[in-house]
Amino acid sequence: KQEVTQIPAALSVPEGENLVLNCSFTDSAIYNLQWFRQDPGKGLTSLLLIQSSQREQTSGRLNASLDKSSGRSTLYIAASQPGDSATYLCAVDTSYDKVIFGPGTSLSVIP
Amino acid sequence: GAVVSQHPSWVICKSGTSVKIECRSLDFQATTMFWYRQFPKQSLMLMATSNEGSKATYEQGVEKDKFLINHASLTLSTLTVTSAHPEDSSFYICSARGVSGRWSADTQYFGPGTRLTVL
């Protein structure tokens, strides 16, 4: 059974800092892994999608990596801004047709 | 990317009434759609998987008579919360997995969610 964890559960950083969010999964047989952003009371915004055959994806200040063999993905945010404050969820699309979400990391970027 | 819409985006209803939430894939056909539920400050939990033209498969602990799912076409799935009660208040999100073609058949595309509040 696939389990997804995220560390840390919460993170507070000053504006301008680079930061890394971590996601771990127990079963390496995955189709892809997505990182989402969720603002309070809002829906999901897809940030980056990494297919199982890929190692990383980049979009602007965001870079996500995937290491299937170790069951890990990281989301790197460069030069953080207050507008980056949100909950970040990673989601693993499994080989048995289910997407399993991690519990999320709540990020606060302090001006 | 592929677009999935949900309607309504939010709904408030009285206890005992039924509420229907629609999930549509706007620019692709979805053979499989998924419904998730999110309680405050928690992550998303899969409720059920629906395939076009067949009965939905519910996750353990989800009452199928409470949460009726219909996937009548390749672009529409509906979730009906029957006889809603305050404990059903939650954020409901659908996703759709596309058929092969322009959009990857291996990717789930998520809707924006529907916030249900039962008074």
Side-chain angles (χ1 to χ4, degrees), chain A residues 25-90:
Chain A
F25 48 95
T26 55
D27 187 347
S28 62
I30 66 172
Y31 280 136
N32 59 57
L33 184 147
Q34 288 195 63
W35 282 93
F36 293 91
R37 169 187 173 139
Q38 186 174 33
D39 293 284
K42 304 293 185 181
L44 301 178
T45 300
S46 180
L47 298 174
L48 290 166
L49 167 68
I50 312 176
Q51 299 291 351
S52 62
S53 58
Q54 298 174 323
R55 298 280 296 182
E56 67 176 342
Q57 283 287 329
T58 298
S59 175
R61 294 183 293 109
L62 306 179
N63 176 276
S65 67
L66 174 64
D67 184 344
K68 276 189 6 177
S69 61
S70 66
R72 293 180 182 177
S73 176
T74 60
L75 178 66
Y76 175 82
I77 303 177
S80 58
Q81 303 171 357
D84 295 331
S85 299
T87 296
Y88 291 81
L89 298 163
C90 73

Coordinates of all heavy atoms in Angstrom, one line a residue, chain A residues 25-90:
Chain A
F25 N 7.6 8.6 -0.6 CA 6.6 7.6 -0.9 C 7.2 6.2 -0.7 O 8.4 6.0 -0.9 CB 6.0 7.8 -2.2 CG 6.9 8.0 -3.4 CD1 7.3 6.9 -4.2 CD2 7.5 9.3 -3.7 CE1 8.2 7.1 -5.2 CE2 8.4 9.4 -4.7 CZ 8.7 8.4 -5.5
T26 N 6.4 5.2 -0.4 CA 6.9 3.9 0.0 C 7.0 2.9 -1.2 O 7.8 2.0 -1.1 CB 6.0 3.3 1.1 OG1 4.6 3.3 0.6 CG2 6.1 4.1 2.4
D27 N 6.2 3.1 -2.2 CA 6.2 2.2 -3.4 C 6.7 3.0 -4.6 O 6.1 3.9 -5.0 CB 4.8 1.7 -3.6 CG 4.7 0.6 -4.7 OD1 5.7 0.4 -5.4 OD2 3.7 -0.1 -4.8
S28 N 7.8 2.5 -5.2 CA 8.4 3.2 -6.3 C 7.7 3.0 -7.6 O 8.0 3.6 -8.6 CB 9.9 2.8 -6.4 OG 9.9 1.4 -6.7
A29 N 6.7 2.1 -7.6 CA 5.9 1.8 -8.9 C 4.9 2.9 -9.1 O 3.7 2.7 -8.7 CB 5.3 0.4 -8.8
I30 N 5.3 4.0 -9.6 CA 4.4 5.1 -9.8 C 4.3 5.6 -11.3 O 5.3 5.3 -12.0 CB 4.8 6.3 -8.9 CG1 6.2 6.9 -9.4 CG2 4.9 6.0 -7.5 CD1 6.6 8.2 -8.7
Y31 N 3.2 6.2 -11.7 CA 3.1 6.8 -13.0 C 3.8 8.2 -13.0 O 4.5 8.5 -13.9 CB 1.7 6.9 -13.4 CG 1.1 5.6 -13.9 CD1 -0.2 5.3 -13.6 CD2 1.7 4.8 -14.8 CE1 -0.8 4.1 -14.0 CE2 1.2 3.7 -15.3 CZ -0.1 3.3 -14.9 OH -0.6 2.1 -15.4
N32 N 3.4 9.0 -12.0 CA 4.0 10.3 -12.0 C 3.8 10.8 -10.5 O 3.1 10.2 -9.7 CB 3.3 11.2 -13.0 CG 1.8 11.3 -12.8 OD1 1.3 11.7 -11.7 ND2 1.0 11.0 -13.8
L33 N 4.3 12.0 -10.3 CA 4.2 12.7 -9.1 C 3.9 14.2 -9.4 O 4.5 14.8 -10.2 CB 5.5 12.6 -8.2 CG 5.5 13.1 -6.8 CD1 6.3 12.3 -5.9 CD2 5.9 14.6 -6.8
Q34 N 2.9 14.7 -8.7 CA 2.6 16.1 -8.9 C 2.7 16.9 -7.6 O 2.5 16.4 -6.5 CB 1.1 16.2 -9.3 CG 0.8 15.8 -10.7 CD -0.6 16.3 -11.2 OE1 -0.8 17.5 -11.3 NE2 -1.5 15.4 -11.5
W35 N 3.1 18.1 -7.7 CA 3.1 19.1 -6.6 C 2.0 20.1 -6.9 O 1.9 20.6 -8.0 CB 4.5 19.8 -6.6 CG 5.6 19.0 -5.9 CD1 6.5 18.2 -6.6 CD2 5.9 18.9 -4.5 NE1 7.3 17.6 -5.7 CE2 7.0 18.0 -4.4 CE3 5.3 19.4 -3.4 CZ2 7.5 17.7 -3.2 CZ3 5.9 19.1 -2.2 CH2 7.0 18.2 -2.1
F36 N 1.2 20.3 -5.8 CA 0.1 21.2 -5.9 C 0.3 22.3 -4.8 O 1.0 22.1 -3.8 CB -1.2 20.5 -5.6 CG -1.6 19.5 -6.6 CD1 -1.3 18.2 -6.5 CD2 -2.4 19.9 -7.7 CE1 -1.7 17.3 -7.4 CE2 -2.8 19.0 -8.6 CZ -2.5 17.7 -8.5
R37 N -0.3 23.4 -5.1 CA -0.4 24.5 -4.1 C -1.9 24.6 -3.7 O -2.8 24.5 -4.6 CB 0.1 25.8 -4.7 CG -0.2 27.0 -3.9 CD 0.2 28.2 -4.6 NE -0.2 29.4 -3.8 CZ 0.5 30.5 -3.6 NH1 1.7 30.6 -4.2 NH2 0.0 31.5 -2.9
Q38 N -2.2 24.8 -2.5 CA -3.6 25.1 -2.0 C -3.6 26.3 -1.1 O -2.9 26.2 0.0 CB -4.2 23.9 -1.4 CG -5.7 24.0 -1.1 CD -6.3 22.8 -0.5 OE1 -5.7 22.0 0.2 NE2 -7.6 22.6 -0.9
D39 N -4.3 27.3 -1.5 CA -4.5 28.5 -0.6 C -5.6 28.2 0.3 O -6.5 27.4 0.0 CB -4.7 29.7 -1.5 CG -3.5 30.1 -2.2 OD1 -2.5 30.6 -1.6 OD2 -3.4 29.8 -3.4
P40 N -5.7 28.8 1.5 CA -6.8 28.6 2.5 C -8.1 28.7 1.8 O -8.5 29.7 1.2 CB -6.5 29.6 3.5 CG -5.1 29.9 3.5 CD -4.7 29.8 2.0
G41 N -8.9 27.6 2.0 CA -10.3 27.7 1.5 C -10.4 27.6 0.0 O -11.6 27.7 -0.5
K42 N -9.4 27.3 -0.7 CA -9.4 27.2 -2.2 C -9.1 25.8 -2.7 O -8.8 24.9 -1.9 CB -8.3 28.2 -2.7 CG -8.5 29.6 -2.3 CD -9.8 30.3 -2.8 CE -9.9 31.7 -2.4 NZ -11.1 32.3 -2.9
G43 N -9.2 25.6 -4.0 CA -8.9 24.4 -4.6 C -7.4 24.2 -4.8 O -6.6 24.9 -4.4
L44 N -7.1 23.2 -5.6 CA -5.7 22.8 -5.9 C -5.2 23.6 -7.2 O -6.0 23.7 -8.1 CB -5.6 21.3 -6.2 CG -6.0 20.4 -5.0 CD1 -5.9 18.9 -5.5 CD2 -5.2 20.7 -3.8
T45 N -4.0 24.0 -7.1 CA -3.3 24.5 -8.3 C -2.1 23.7 -8.6 O -1.2 23.5 -7.7 CB -2.8 26.0 -8.0 OG1 -4.0 26.8 -7.7 CG2 -2.1 26.5 -9.3
S46 N -2.1 23.0 -9.7 CA -1.0 22.2 -10.1 C 0.2 23.0 -10.4 O 0.2 24.0 -11.2 CB -1.4 21.3 -11.3 OG -0.3 20.5 -11.7
L47 N 1.3 22.7 -9.8 CA 2.6 23.4 -10.0 C 3.5 22.7 -10.9 O 3.9 23.3 -11.9 CB 3.3 23.6 -8.6 CG 2.5 24.3 -7.5 CD1 3.3 24.3 -6.2 CD2 2.3 25.8 -8.0
L48 N 3.8 21.5 -10.7 CA 4.7 20.7 -11.5 C 4.3 19.2 -11.5 O 3.8 18.7 -10.5 CB 6.1 20.8 -10.9 CG 6.8 22.2 -11.1 CD1 8.1 22.2 -10.2 CD2 7.2 22.4 -12.5
L49 N 4.4 18.6 -12.7 CA 4.1 17.2 -12.8 C 5.4 16.5 -13.3 O 6.0 17.0 -14.3 CB 3.0 17.0 -13.8 CG 2.7 15.6 -14.4 CD1 2.2 14.7 -13.3 CD2 1.8 15.6 -15.5
I50 N 5.8 15.5 -12.6 CA 7.0 14.8 -13.1 C 6.6 13.4 -13.4 O 6.1 12.6 -12.6 CB 8.1 14.7 -12.0 CG1 8.3 16.1 -11.4 CG2 9.4 14.1 -12.5 CD1 9.3 16.0 -10.2
Q51 N 6.8 13.0 -14.7 CA 6.5 11.6 -15.1 C 7.5 10.7 -14.5 O 8.6 11.1 -14.1 CB 6.5 11.5 -16.6 CG 5.5 12.4 -17.3 CD 4.1 11.9 -17.1 OE1 3.8 10.8 -16.6 NE2 3.1 12.7 -17.5
S52 N 7.2 9.4 -14.4 CA 8.1 8.4 -13.7 C 9.4 8.3 -14.4 O 10.4 8.0 -13.8 CB 7.4 7.1 -13.7 OG 7.2 6.6 -15.0
S53 N 9.5 8.6 -15.7 CA 10.7 8.5 -16.5 C 11.6 9.8 -16.4 O 12.7 9.8 -16.9 CB 10.4 8.3 -17.9 OG 9.6 9.3 -18.5
Q54 N 11.1 10.8 -15.7 CA 11.8 12.1 -15.6 C 12.5 12.2 -14.3 O 12.1 11.5 -13.3 CB 10.8 13.2 -15.8 CG 10.2 13.2 -17.2 CD 9.2 14.3 -17.4 OE1 8.4 14.6 -16.4 NE2 9.1 14.9 -18.5
R55 N 13.5 13.1 -14.2 CA 14.2 13.3 -13.0 C 13.8 14.6 -12.3 O 13.9 14.8 -11.1 CB 15.7 13.3 -13.2 CG 16.2 12.0 -13.8 CD 16.5 11.0 -12.7 NE 17.5 11.4 -11.8 CZ 17.8 10.6 -10.7 NH1 17.3 9.4 -10.6 NH2 18.7 11.0 -9.9
E56 N 13.4 15.6 -13.2 CA 13.1 16.9 -12.6 C 12.3 17.7 -13.6 O 12.2 17.4 -14.8 CB 14.3 17.7 -12.2 CG 15.2 18.1 -13.3 CD 16.4 19.0 -12.8 OE1 16.3 19.5 -11.7 OE2 17.3 19.1 -13.5
Q57 N 11.6 18.7 -13.0 CA 10.8 19.6 -13.8 C 11.0 21.0 -13.2 O 11.1 21.2 -12.0 CB 9.3 19.3 -13.8 CG 8.9 18.1 -14.7 CD 8.9 18.5 -16.2 OE1 8.7 19.7 -16.6 NE2 9.3 17.5 -17.0
T58 N 11.0 22.0 -14.1 CA 11.2 23.4 -13.6 C 10.1 24.3 -14.2 O 9.7 24.1 -15.3 CB 12.6 23.9 -14.0 OG1 13.6 23.1 -13.5 CG2 12.8 25.3 -13.6
S59 N 9.7 25.2 -13.3 CA 8.8 26.3 -13.8 C 9.0 27.5 -13.0 O 8.8 27.6 -11.8 CB 7.3 25.8 -13.5 OG 6.4 26.8 -13.9
G60 N 9.6 28.5 -13.6 CA 10.0 29.7 -12.9 C 10.9 29.5 -11.8 O 12.0 28.9 -11.9
R61 N 10.4 29.9 -10.6 CA 11.3 29.8 -9.4 C 11.1 28.4 -8.7 O 11.7 28.1 -7.7 CB 10.9 30.9 -8.4 CG 11.2 32.3 -8.8 CD 10.8 33.3 -7.7 NE 9.4 33.4 -7.5 CZ 8.8 32.9 -6.4 NH1 9.5 32.4 -5.4 NH2 7.5 33.1 -6.2
L62 N 10.4 27.5 -9.3 CA 10.1 26.2 -8.8 C 10.9 25.1 -9.5 O 11.0 25.2 -10.8 CB 8.6 25.9 -8.8 CG 7.7 26.9 -8.2 CD1 6.2 26.4 -8.4 CD2 8.0 27.1 -6.7
N63 N 11.4 24.2 -8.8 CA 12.1 23.1 -9.4 C 11.7 21.8 -8.5 O 11.9 21.8 -7.3 CB 13.6 23.3 -9.4 CG 14.4 22.0 -9.9 OD1 14.6 21.1 -9.1 ND2 14.7 22.0 -11.2
A64 N 11.3 20.8 -9.2 CA 10.9 19.6 -8.5 C 11.8 18.5 -9.0 O 12.0 18.4 -10.3 CB 9.4 19.3 -8.7
S65 N 12.2 17.6 -8.1 CA 13.0 16.5 -8.5 C 12.3 15.2 -8.1 O 11.5 15.2 -7.2 CB 14.4 16.6 -7.9 OG 14.3 16.4 -6.5
L66 N 12.7 14.1 -8.8 CA 12.1 12.8 -8.4 C 13.2 11.8 -8.5 O 13.9 11.7 -9.4 CB 11.0 12.5 -9.5 CG 10.4 11.1 -9.3 CD1 9.7 10.9 -8.0 CD2 9.5 10.8 -10.5
D67 N 13.3 11.0 -7.4 CA 14.2 9.9 -7.3 C 13.3 8.7 -6.9 O 13.0 8.4 -5.7 CB 15.3 10.1 -6.2 CG 16.3 9.0 -6.2 OD1 16.0 7.9 -6.7 OD2 17.3 9.2 -5.6
K68 N 12.9 7.9 -7.9 CA 12.0 6.8 -7.7 C 12.6 5.7 -6.8 O 12.0 5.2 -6.0 CB 11.5 6.2 -9.0 CG 10.4 6.9 -9.6 CD 9.8 6.2 -10.8 CE 10.3 4.9 -11.2 NZ 9.6 4.2 -12.3
S69 N 13.9 5.5 -7.1 CA 14.5 4.4 -6.3 C 14.5 4.6 -4.8 O 14.4 3.6 -4.1 CB 16.0 4.2 -6.9 OG 16.7 5.3 -6.7
S70 N 14.7 5.8 -4.4 CA 14.7 6.1 -3.0 C 13.3 6.6 -2.5 O 13.2 6.8 -1.3 CB 15.7 7.2 -2.7 OG 15.4 8.5 -3.3
G71 N 12.4 6.7 -3.4 CA 11.0 7.1 -3.0 C 11.0 8.5 -2.5 O 10.3 8.8 -1.5
R72 N 11.6 9.4 -3.2 CA 11.7 10.8 -2.7 C 11.5 11.8 -3.8 O 11.9 11.6 -5.0 CB 13.0 11.1 -2.0 CG 13.2 10.4 -0.7 CD 14.6 10.7 -0.1 NE 14.8 9.9 1.1 CZ 15.9 10.0 1.8 NH1 16.9 10.8 1.4 NH2 16.1 9.3 2.9
S73 N 10.9 12.9 -3.5 CA 10.8 14.1 -4.4 C 11.0 15.3 -3.5 O 10.6 15.4 -2.4 CB 9.4 14.1 -5.0 OG 9.3 15.3 -5.8
T74 N 11.6 16.3 -4.1 CA 11.8 17.6 -3.4 C 11.2 18.7 -4.3 O 11.3 18.6 -5.6 CB 13.2 17.9 -3.1 OG1 14.0 17.9 -4.4 CG2 13.8 16.8 -2.2
L75 N 10.7 19.7 -3.7 CA 10.2 20.9 -4.3 C 11.1 22.1 -3.8 O 11.1 22.3 -2.6 CB 8.8 21.2 -4.1 CG 8.2 22.5 -4.7 CD1 8.2 22.4 -6.2 CD2 6.8 22.8 -4.2
Y76 N 11.8 22.6 -4.7 CA 12.7 23.7 -4.4 C 12.1 25.0 -4.8 O 11.7 25.2 -6.0 CB 14.1 23.5 -5.1 CG 15.1 24.6 -5.0 CD1 15.9 24.7 -3.8 CD2 15.2 25.6 -6.0 CE1 16.8 25.7 -3.7 CE2 16.2 26.6 -5.8 CZ 17.0 26.7 -4.7 OH 17.9 27.7 -4.6
I77 N 12.0 26.0 -3.9 CA 11.5 27.3 -4.2 C 12.6 28.3 -4.0 O 13.1 28.4 -2.9 CB 10.3 27.7 -3.3 CG1 9.2 26.6 -3.5 CG2 9.7 29.0 -3.7 CD1 8.0 26.8 -2.5
A78 N 12.9 29.0 -5.1 CA 14.0 30.0 -5.0 C 13.4 31.4 -4.7 O 12.3 31.7 -5.1 CB 14.7 30.0 -6.3
A79 N 14.2 32.1 -3.9 CA 13.9 33.5 -3.6 C 12.4 33.7 -3.2 O 11.6 34.3 -3.9 CB 14.2 34.4 -4.8
S80 N 12.1 33.0 -2.1 CA 10.7 33.0 -1.7 C 10.1 34.4 -1.5 O 10.8 35.3 -1.1 CB 10.6 32.2 -0.4 OG 11.4 32.7 0.6
Q81 N 8.7 34.4 -1.7 CA 8.0 35.7 -1.6 C 6.8 35.4 -0.7 O 6.3 34.3 -0.6 CB 7.5 36.1 -3.0 CG 8.6 36.3 -4.0 CD 8.1 36.5 -5.4 OE1 6.9 36.5 -5.7 NE2 9.0 36.8 -6.3
P82 N 6.3 36.5 -0.1 CA 5.1 36.3 0.8 C 3.9 35.6 0.0 O 3.1 34.9 0.6 CB 4.7 37.7 1.2 CG 6.1 38.4 1.2 CD 6.8 37.9 0.0
G83 N 3.8 35.9 -1.3 CA 2.8 35.3 -2.1 C 2.9 33.8 -2.3 O 2.0 33.1 -2.7
D84 N 4.1 33.3 -1.9 CA 4.3 31.8 -1.9 C 3.6 31.1 -0.7 O 3.6 29.9 -0.7 CB 5.8 31.5 -1.9 CG 6.4 32.0 -3.2 OD1 5.8 32.0 -4.3 OD2 7.7 32.3 -3.1
S85 N 3.2 31.9 0.3 CA 2.6 31.3 1.5 C 1.3 30.5 1.1 O 0.4 31.0 0.5 CB 2.2 32.4 2.5 OG 3.4 33.1 2.9
A86 N 1.3 29.2 1.4 CA 0.2 28.3 1.1 C 0.6 27.0 1.6 O 1.6 26.8 2.2 CB 0.0 28.3 -0.4
T87 N -0.3 26.0 1.4 CA 0.0 24.6 1.7 C 0.4 23.9 0.4 O -0.3 24.1 -0.6 CB -1.2 23.9 2.3 OG1 -1.5 24.5 3.6 CG2 -0.9 22.4 2.5
Y88 N 1.5 23.2 0.5 CA 2.0 22.5 -0.7 C 1.8 21.0 -0.5 O 2.2 20.4 0.5 CB 3.5 22.8 -0.9 CG 3.7 24.2 -1.3 CD1 3.6 25.3 -0.4 CD2 3.8 24.6 -2.7 CE1 3.8 26.6 -0.8 CE2 4.0 25.9 -3.1 CZ 3.9 26.9 -2.1 OH 4.1 28.2 -2.5
L89 N 1.1 20.4 -1.5 CA 0.8 19.0 -1.4 C 1.5 18.2 -2.5 O 1.6 18.7 -3.7 CB -0.7 18.8 -1.6 CG -1.6 19.4 -0.6 CD1 -3.0 19.4 -1.1 CD2 -1.6 18.5 0.7
C90 N 2.1 17.1 -2.2 CA 2.6 16.2 -3.2 C 1.6 15.1 -3.4 O 0.9 14.7 -2.4 CB 4.0 15.7 -3.0 SG 4.1 14.5 -1.7

